[in-house]
Amino acid sequence: QKDGDYRESWQPQAMSAKALERAEAISRTITDDLGGWGLFGVELFVKGDEVWFSEVSPRPHDTGLVTLVSQELSEFALHARAILGLPIPVIRQSGPSASCALLAHGEGVPHFTDVAAALQVPDTAVRLFGKPSVHGHRRVGVTLARGEDTDQARATARNAAEAIGVTLTA
């Protein structure tokens, strides 16, 4: 996060067994108490074995966009299955993956350049959100990447995002 807003996410998260157990317990407590159907985006901060709750979204969350490349079923597919009461299979990971937000600042209609340059690296993808206009500071897309490890995936996703030009026109 930067300025309280999502910039990057990745999978898997390197964490101790104790931190993972605590993260699962916190998430389960929150979502069980809320009730409802579908996927919840539970955001936690982890440092060593310590885990702190940050926020919950009762829907797919932007930090979960990494699932578009990191696993067989994205957060959107899992949300639909859960709402429809369909079975949730074992989720198979595709390997270390990352997402990086594309940002626009100002007022106007977003236009993108150099998307092809961002896609030059294998296992890289781009999703543009199609926002009709931007007012202030907004995410307008995301780059996605796989790597040998999460550091490489993060660097690749970040480089792809930096390659794309975002301009706003009136």
PDB file of all heavy atoms in Angstrom, residues 4 11 20 64 78 144 152 169:
ATOM      1  N   GLY A   4      -2.308   4.719   1.715  1.00  0.00           N
ATOM      2  CA  GLY A   4      -3.502   3.991   2.122  1.00  0.00           C
ATOM      3  C   GLY A   4      -4.226   3.273   1.006  1.00  0.00           C
ATOM      4  O   GLY A   4      -5.385   2.898   1.155  1.00  0.00           O
ATOM      5  N   GLN A  11       1.268 -13.460  -4.699  1.00  0.00           N
ATOM      6  CA  GLN A  11       1.050 -14.776  -4.110  1.00  0.00           C
ATOM      7  C   GLN A  11       2.199 -15.664  -4.517  1.00  0.00           C
ATOM      8  O   GLN A  11       2.654 -15.558  -5.657  1.00  0.00           O
ATOM      9  CB  GLN A  11      -0.256 -15.399  -4.608  1.00  0.00           C
ATOM     10  CG  GLN A  11      -1.483 -14.811  -3.999  1.00  0.00           C
ATOM     11  CD  GLN A  11      -2.724 -15.552  -4.466  1.00  0.00           C
ATOM     12  OE1 GLN A  11      -2.839 -15.877  -5.636  1.00  0.00           O
ATOM     13  NE2 GLN A  11      -3.648 -15.804  -3.569  1.00  0.00           N
ATOM     14  N   LEU A  20       0.368 -17.701   9.476  1.00  0.00           N
ATOM     15  CA  LEU A  20      -0.688 -18.213   8.601  1.00  0.00           C
ATOM     16  C   LEU A  20      -1.879 -18.694   9.427  1.00  0.00           C
ATOM     17  O   LEU A  20      -3.035 -18.375   9.109  1.00  0.00           O
ATOM     18  CB  LEU A  20      -0.160 -19.343   7.719  1.00  0.00           C
ATOM     19  CG  LEU A  20      -1.172 -19.993   6.791  1.00  0.00           C
ATOM     20  CD1 LEU A  20      -1.785 -18.976   5.823  1.00  0.00           C
ATOM     21  CD2 LEU A  20      -0.515 -21.139   6.018  1.00  0.00           C
ATOM     22  N   GLY A  64      -6.959  -8.730  -4.713  1.00  0.00           N
ATOM     23  CA  GLY A  64      -7.124 -10.091  -5.208  1.00  0.00           C
ATOM     24  C   GLY A  64      -7.031 -10.213  -6.712  1.00  0.00           C
ATOM     25  O   GLY A  64      -7.153 -11.319  -7.251  1.00  0.00           O
ATOM     26  N   LEU A  78     -14.414 -17.679  -8.127  1.00  0.00           N
ATOM     27  CA  LEU A  78     -14.723 -18.224  -6.798  1.00  0.00           C
ATOM     28  C   LEU A  78     -15.938 -17.529  -6.194  1.00  0.00           C
ATOM     29  O   LEU A  78     -16.782 -18.161  -5.554  1.00  0.00           O
ATOM     30  CB  LEU A  78     -13.514 -18.094  -5.882  1.00  0.00           C
ATOM     31  CG  LEU A  78     -12.335 -18.993  -6.247  1.00  0.00           C
ATOM     32  CD1 LEU A  78     -11.108 -18.600  -5.447  1.00  0.00           C
ATOM     33  CD2 LEU A  78     -12.682 -20.454  -6.041  1.00  0.00           C
ATOM     34  N   LEU A 144      -0.175  -7.842 -14.589  1.00  0.00           N
ATOM     35  CA  LEU A 144      -0.080  -9.133 -13.916  1.00  0.00           C
ATOM     36  C   LEU A 144       1.141  -9.863 -14.444  1.00  0.00           C
ATOM     37  O   LEU A 144       1.435  -9.781 -15.640  1.00  0.00           O
ATOM     38  CB  LEU A 144      -1.331  -9.962 -14.201  1.00  0.00           C
ATOM     39  CG  LEU A 144      -2.650  -9.302 -13.838  1.00  0.00           C
ATOM     40  CD1 LEU A 144      -3.802  -9.956 -14.581  1.00  0.00           C
ATOM     41  CD2 LEU A 144      -2.866  -9.353 -12.337  1.00  0.00           C
ATOM     42  N   GLN A 152      10.690 -11.659  -8.297  1.00  0.00           N
ATOM     43  CA  GLN A 152      10.777 -11.515  -9.747  1.00  0.00           C
ATOM     44  C   GLN A 152       9.402 -11.162 -10.336  1.00  0.00           C
ATOM     45  O   GLN A 152       9.302 -10.298 -11.209  1.00  0.00           O
ATOM     46  CB  GLN A 152      11.309 -12.793 -10.385  1.00  0.00           C
ATOM     47  CG  GLN A 152      11.460 -12.655 -11.899  1.00  0.00           C
ATOM     48  CD  GLN A 152      11.807 -13.971 -12.572  1.00  0.00           C
ATOM     49  OE1 GLN A 152      11.351 -15.037 -12.153  1.00  0.00           O
ATOM     50  NE2 GLN A 152      12.605 -13.883 -13.628  1.00  0.00           N
ATOM     51  N   THR A 169      -7.448  13.067 -21.151  1.00  0.00           N
ATOM     52  CA  THR A 169      -7.872  14.140 -22.049  1.00  0.00           C
ATOM     53  C   THR A 169      -9.279  14.584 -21.661  1.00  0.00           C
ATOM     54  O   THR A 169     -10.068  13.809 -21.127  1.00  0.00           O
ATOM     55  CB  THR A 169      -7.872  13.684 -23.509  1.00  0.00           C
ATOM     56  OG1 THR A 169      -8.741  12.569 -23.666  1.00  0.00           O
ATOM     57  CG2 THR A 169      -6.461  13.295 -23.955  1.00  0.00           C
TER      58      THR A 169
END
